[in-house]
């Protein structure tokens, strides 16, 4: 791609060689990391990484329960994908759904005792995989920078205005 600055306003603002390097490094690392964590959790706990994240969020929530819409928001996934995931977790006995008494259309996802036990058993291996893949490779300063950078990117992609096109609103 042309990396010269665009002088024509209709011309895209192409990435510089350094920006391309950073972008491609990020994409490669993010893809490999997600695959690494997914394979570890499939092998050790029989679940994909996204399911583990759902169980963690429920475990951290008051009474181990969250409204389905809130769980989708925390997981950054569509409501349809969440519904499918919760159905699979229900089938395993790790989560159950409960109707919301104040909203006839709303439902809660609730972490069961069995789900909590699976989470307790799988957490040490998952934490070891995260530590080995990310934190053991970075200095404390790099860890802090990575956290700050990812927070800036995440906040920029979550507009607050009504009608924003975000996964959990689809």
């Amino acid at each position: 791609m042309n990396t010269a600055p665009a002088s024509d306003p209709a011309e895209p603002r192409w990435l510089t060689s350094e920006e391309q390097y950073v972008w491609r490094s990020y994409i490669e690392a993010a893809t490999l990391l997600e695959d690494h964590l997914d394979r570890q959790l499939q092998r050790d706990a029989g679940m994909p990484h996204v399911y583990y994240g759902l169980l963690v969020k429920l475990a951290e929530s008051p009474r181990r329960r969250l409204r389905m819409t809130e769980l989708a928001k925390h997981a950054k996934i569509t409501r349809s994908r969440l519904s499918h995931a919760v159905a699979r977790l229900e089938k395993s006995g790790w989560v159950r759904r409960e109707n919301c008494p104040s909203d006839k259309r709303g439902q809660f996802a609730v972490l069961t005792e069995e789900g909590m036990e699976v989470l307790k058993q799988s957490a040490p291996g998952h934490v070891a995989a995260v530590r080995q893949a990310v934190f053991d490779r970075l200095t404390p300063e790099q860890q802090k920078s990575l956290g700050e950078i990812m927070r800036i990117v995440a906040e920029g992609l979550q507009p607050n205005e009504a009608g924003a096109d975000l996964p959990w609103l689809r």
Side-chain angles (χ1 to χ4, degrees):
M1 288 285 147
N2 175 11
T3 59
S7 56
D8 178 356
E11 181 71 16
R13 198 171 138 232
W14 299 110
L15 298 179
T16 65
S17 296
E18 188 172 317
E19 289 169 334
Q20 284 182 19
Y21 173 79
V22 169
W23 176 244
R24 290 175 182 170
S25 295
Y26 164 77
I27 291 296
E28 182 178 7
T31 301
L32 290 169
L33 180 60
E34 184 62 28
D35 179 68
H36 175 72
L37 297 177
D38 214 43
R39 283 184 292 115
Q40 178 270 318
L41 283 163
Q42 285 285 4
R43 181 184 62 246
D44 296 351
M47 74 177 100
H49 189 219
V50 70
Y51 290 16
Y52 179 85
L54 296 173
L55 296 181
V56 168
K57 191 62 199 168
L58 289 172
E60 293 172 342
S61 298
R63 298 175 50 209
R64 297 184 191 164
R65 65 190 307 121
L66 264 181
R67 285 190 63 133
M68 293 284 284
T69 51
E70 280 300 303
L71 189 54
K73 182 177 180 179
H74 286 291
K76 311 291 187 247
I77 59 176
T78 64
R79 290 177 286 194
S80 173
R81 184 172 180 203
L82 175 67
S83 184
H84 176 73
V86 169
R88 296 279 309 271
L89 292 168
E90 280 182 302
K91 192 173 182 180
S92 297
W94 302 344
V95 169
R96 72 174 180 275
R97 291 184 216 220
E98 292 180 357
N99 290 327
C100 178
S102 63
D103 177 2
K104 299 298 180 207
R105 293 181 301 162
Q107 283 192 318
F108 287 98
V110 182
L111 183 65
T112 65
E113 286 301 320
E114 186 178 348
M116 189 66 189
E117 191 55 38
V118 166
L119 188 57
K120 286 178 184 177
Q121 291 173 7
S122 59
H126 178 66
V127 170
V130 169
R131 183 167 295 290
Q132 176 271 328
V134 179
F135 294 101
D136 291 349
R137 299 172 188 270
L138 302 175
T139 66
E141 294 79 22
Q142 290 171 323
Q143 292 173 22
K144 183 178 180 198
S145 293
L146 179 62
E148 290 169 352
I149 291 165
M150 292 296 99
R151 178 55 30 216
I152 289 167
V153 171
E155 287 173 358
L157 292 170
Q158 296 183 83
N160 292 324
E161 67 267 5
D165 186 20
L166 296 168
W168 54 92
L169 298 176
R170 289 185 224 135

